[in-house]
């Protein structure tokens, strides 16, 4: 087929490094900094099992290489060949077929993910402000003894399943468990340390004004970057934010490795025991590899569409995947190293832990007051480089397919996403009781995107690349890849990726694993 001519207001990356940083920026996000460490911790059986975490990490690495990398190459290849947004790419490569449906699904996923992802990103922005303002400075003095007893009472009611338990009884039991003054004082202090960040976070969630305000702030930041276009907006900002992110991550990692629990965290991550492998672990590892690399909705495809013909697909994909993996592993070292050093535990998988557990951990750490600012700034940067890629997917569609100029496309896309996102921001307060099947709007968006749109899109992209594109088309795009490696990739994208992702999709829909 003849080479497609790119539409006028498209643009391209200034350099291959710019593309790699931008795509890695899309991939590195809350998935790396929170979800991966949490899953690893969970499969590590908290702190008890020495090998569970290593086994999970090992499976994750295998899934990243066998499923993530081939799919990333496929997305870049499609984008670069068609030089179009996800919808336009399928239209250009196979005109008049239903394949463009995969593009539309990706577009929809872009809308949906951005509208809730930017809400959480807004939390990180608020927490930068809180940590700069020393709001975590002195947890103890913020919580009264009475508030601790309330919490003790609450916990006792939950633990016993007896909602009618009198407060005095719960308090008496608590005191009886700590007979001498010193141990009671210790227990009170730990409770206060636990209670305050939770109360602080719930206060924030309960405030519609602040939730919407920080969401709007984050949308504005995202718009500011995307308005600048590819080379002088997205690429330029990623060139600043990504090195800054890696530097901050490095600073935190060095700090944690010098703590008593640092070395143990490394051992914890890298000692697999193959007999520990379970199907559940495999499904989680695969789902995480997929989400963490931003695959399945055409975000990487869109970024690939701004790549020059002369830039290599295979080695770029390898660089992006490596960066994403290194960040996930380093974040785990930081989080476990801190936990092991101070004997704390993580409770629950919710992203809320990022805002309740982390301040407590840093509270114990020498230099923690400054490092906690660094930590939340890191999350903001990681989130911003991800939200930018999500907005760009929708903007590129409006530019390519609807002939809009960039400013109009960005304003329209961001405007609609903001309107859709406000109910997400309100899901934690005003609209908390507005639920469907027990899920708030925020939960529903996350469920739809992570459990349906992304896996379905991933299967579609793999089948399209493996079975619909001709051998010549693929070979042309991967010209630099040596033949044995090309063959290996082809087997993976034709058989392994579709089968594996279908397995995850089924497991997700059956509720066996959560996205
Ligand atoms: N990869 C991102 C993370 O790890 C999340 C994500 C999934 C994403 N799909 C995306 C980001 C598409 C941008 C575009 O947090």
């Amino acid at each position: 087929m003849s080479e497609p001519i790119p539409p006028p207001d498209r643009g391209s990356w200034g350099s291959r490094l710019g593309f790699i940083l931008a795509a890695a920026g899309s991939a590195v996000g809350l998935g790396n900094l929170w979800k991966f460490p949490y899953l690893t911790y969970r499969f590590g059986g908290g702190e008890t099992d020495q090998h569970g975490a290593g086994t999970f990490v090992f499976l994750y690495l295998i899934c990243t290489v066998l499923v993530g990398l081939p799919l990333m190459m496929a997305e870049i290849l499609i984008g670069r060949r068609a030089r179009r947004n996800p919808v336009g790419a399928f239209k250009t490569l196979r005109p008049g077929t239903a394949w463009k449906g995969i593009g539309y699904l990706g577009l929809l996923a872009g809308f949906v993910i951005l509208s809730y992802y930017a809400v959480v990103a807004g939390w990180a922005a608020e927490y930068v402000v809180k940590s700069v303002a020393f709001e975590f400075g002195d947890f103890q003095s913020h919580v009264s003894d009475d508030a601790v007893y309330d919490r003790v009472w609450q916990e006792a009611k939950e633990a016993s399943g007896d909602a009618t338990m009198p407060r005095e009884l719960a308090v008496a039991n608590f005191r009886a468990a700590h007979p001498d003054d010193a141990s009671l004082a210790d227990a009170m202090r730990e409770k206060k340390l636990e209670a305050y960040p939770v109360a602080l976070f719930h206060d924030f969630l309960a405030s519609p004004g602040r939730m919407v305000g920080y969401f709007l702030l984050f949308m504005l930041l995202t718009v500011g970057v995307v308005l600048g276009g590819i080379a002088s907006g997205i690429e330029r900002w990623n060139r600043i934010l990504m090195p800054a992110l890696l530097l901050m991550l490095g600073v935190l990692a060095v700090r944690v490795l010098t703590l008593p629990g640092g070395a143990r965290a490394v051992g914890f991550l890298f000692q697999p025991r193959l007999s520990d492998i379970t199907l559940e672990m495999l499904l989680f590892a695969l789902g995480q590899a997929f989400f963490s690399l931003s695959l399945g909705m055409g975000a990487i495809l869109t970024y690939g569409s701004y790549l020059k013909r002369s830039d290599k697909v295979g080695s770029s994909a390898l660089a992006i995947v490596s960066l994403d993996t290194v960040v996930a592993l380093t974040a785990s070292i930081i989080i476990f190293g801190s936990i092991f050093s101070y004997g704390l535990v993580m409770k629950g998988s919710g992203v809320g832990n990022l805002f309740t557990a982390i301040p407590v951990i840093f509270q114990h750490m020498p230099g923690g007051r400054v490092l906690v600012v660094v930590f939340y700034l890191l999350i903001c940067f990681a989130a911003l480089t991800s939200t930018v890629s999500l907005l760009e997917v929708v903007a590129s569609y409006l530019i390519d397919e609807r002939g809009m100029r960039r400013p109009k496309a960005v304003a329209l896309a961001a405007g609609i996403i903001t309107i859709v996102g406000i109910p997400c921001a309100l899901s934690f307060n005003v609209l908390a009781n507005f639920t469907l099947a027990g899920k708030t709007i925020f939960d529903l968006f996350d469920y739809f995107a992570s459990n349906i749109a992304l896996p379905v899109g991933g299967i579609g992209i793999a089948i399209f690349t493996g079975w619909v594109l001709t051998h010549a088309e693929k070979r042309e795009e991967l010209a630099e890849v040596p033949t044995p490696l090309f063959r290996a990739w082809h087997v993976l994208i034709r058989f392994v990726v579709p089968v594996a992702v279908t397995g995850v999709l089924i497991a997700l829909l059956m509720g066996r694993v959560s996205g």
Side-chain angles (χ1 to χ4, degrees):
M1 59 170 280
S2 62
E3 245 184 52
I5 305 146
D9 209 13
R10 288 206 109 238
S12 60
W13 304 111
S15 71
R16 192 171 77 110
L17 179 67
F19 162 69
I20 291 172
L21 287 178
S26 170
V28 171
L30 295 165
N32 304 61
L33 300 177
W34 175 250
K35 200 63 192 271
F36 181 75
Y38 167 71
L39 285 177
T40 309
Y41 185 75
R42 200 195 115 171
F43 284 109
E47 296 185 48
T48 48
D49 182 352
Q50 281 302 304
H51 300 283
T55 313
F56 177 77
V57 169
F58 174 76
L59 284 181
Y60 175 78
L61 294 177
I62 302 244
C63 293
T64 299
V65 173
L66 296 186
V67 175
L69 183 62
L71 205 47
M72 172 135 326
M73 287 168 67
E75 283 208 24
I76 301 174
L77 177 162
I78 295 174
R80 192 182 73 164
R81 185 160 188 90
R83 303 211 187 155
R84 291 286 194 288
N85 64 91
V87 174
F90 289 101
K91 278 194 192 163
T92 305
L93 296 178
R94 288 298 178 271
T97 64
W99 284 105
K100 60 179 176 293
I102 296 292
Y104 282 113
L105 188 65
L107 211 60
L108 183 64
F111 266 98
V112 168
I113 300 179
L114 181 50
S115 57
Y116 76 83
Y117 203 87
V119 170
V120 180
W123 301 351
E126 153 102 9
Y127 269 64
V128 172
V129 176
K130 279 195 196 308
S131 53
V132 169
F134 279 157
E135 275 192 52
F136 321 126
D138 185 10
F139 288 146
Q140 324 269 351
S141 59
H142 288 284
V143 186
S144 67
D145 287 2
D146 234 27
V148 171
Y149 291 139
D150 275 342
R151 197 175 154 81
V152 165
W153 184 30
Q154 200 58 41
E155 284 173 357
K157 280 194 290 193
E158 276 166 24
S160 66
D162 173 12
T164 61
M165 178 188 282
R167 189 172 186 271
E168 301 77 56
L169 178 63
V171 172
N173 285 343
F174 175 71
R175 283 173 162 277
H178 306 281
D180 60 293
D181 284 354
S183 82
L184 183 65
D186 266 359
M188 291 297 279
R189 202 179 56 233
E190 272 311 308
K191 287 269 172 224
K192 287 181 181 181
L193 211 51
E194 257 177 47
Y196 184 60
V198 174
L200 198 66
F201 186 59
H202 284 152
D203 258 12
F204 172 51
L205 288 187
S207 151
R210 280 192 291 160
M211 291 286 282
V212 173
Y214 278 100
F215 164 68
L216 292 180
L217 172 77
F218 221 88
M219 285 303 293
L220 272 180
L221 290 174
T222 309
V223 166
V225 174
V226 178
L227 265 185
I230 302 308
S232 47
I234 299 176
E235 179 171 354
R236 194 173 63 157
W237 278 100
N238 271 290
R239 270 178 183 274
I240 300 168
L241 296 173
M242 286 305 284
L245 182 151
L246 295 175
L247 182 73
M248 290 191 283
L249 201 69
V251 168
L252 291 172
V254 168
R255 168 73 272 209
V256 169
L257 284 173
T258 56
L259 294 173
R264 211 180 119 204
V266 177
F268 183 70
L269 281 173
F270 298 107
Q271 289 173 11
R273 191 168 56 205
L274 300 189
S275 57
D276 282 355
I277 293 177
T278 62
L279 182 64
E280 192 199 18
M281 210 189 246
L282 179 66
L283 292 171
F284 267 98
L286 193 52
Q288 174 64 16
F290 193 83
F291 184 80
S292 181
L293 291 168
S294 299
L295 296 171
M297 58 152 286
I300 300 294
L301 185 158
T302 304
Y303 274 8
S305 76
Y306 304 114
L307 205 53
K308 295 198 184 83
R309 291 251 131 214
S310 51
D311 288 330
K312 299 185 172 85
V313 172
S315 53
S316 306
L318 188 62
I320 298 161
V321 169
S322 309
L323 268 170
D324 187 71
T325 307
V326 166
V327 172
L329 293 173
T330 312
S332 305
I333 292 177
I334 292 168
I335 290 181
F336 302 144
S338 313
I339 290 177
F340 293 164
S341 300
Y342 302 113
L344 299 161
V345 286
M346 293 205 267
K347 289 180 193 149
S349 70
V351 76
N353 273 272
L354 204 47
F355 303 97
T356 54
I358 294 290
V360 184
I361 294 176
F362 280 87
Q363 174 85 5
H364 288 82
M365 199 184 290
R369 278 196 170 188
V370 177
L371 294 173
V372 75
V373 180
V374 173
F375 187 86
Y376 286 115
L377 212 52
L378 174 78
I379 293 177
C380 276
F381 284 13
L384 182 58
T385 53
S386 296
T387 55
V388 161
S389 77
L390 287 161
L391 184 56
E392 179 58 25
V393 171
V394 184
S396 74
Y397 166 77
L398 295 174
I399 292 169
D400 295 347
E401 306 302 307
R402 307 275 151 164
M404 285 183 199
R405 308 298 307 215
R406 177 166 287 270
K408 188 174 165 196
V410 173
L412 180 65
I416 299 173
I417 291 166
T418 305
I419 292 169
V420 180
I422 287 176
C424 287
L426 296 177
S427 285
F428 299 89
N429 38 68
V430 183
L431 296 177
N433 294 321
F434 187 86
T435 56
L436 196 74
K439 290 183 161 62
T440 62
I441 298 172
F442 180 97
D443 297 334
L444 285 173
F445 277 25
D446 182 28
Y447 185 86
F448 169 76
S450 309
N451 294 12
I452 300 171
L454 296 182
V456 170
I459 296 166
I461 290 167
I463 294 178
F464 181 81
T465 312
W467 300 91
V468 177
L469 289 181
T470 64
H471 193 271
E473 284 172 301
K474 286 174 269 201
R475 204 62 187 103
E476 221 174 285
E477 295 302 318
L478 298 174
E480 89 282 0
V481 178
T483 304
L485 285 181
F486 177 85
R487 289 214 178 109
W489 169 77
H490 207 207
V491 170
L492 292 173
I493 203 77
R494 289 190 124 188
F495 301 102
V496 177
V497 178
V499 170
V501 181
T502 304
V504 174
L505 178 67
I506 293 171
L508 285 168
L509 294 181
M510 290 183 0
R512 283 285 307 281
V513 299
S514 65

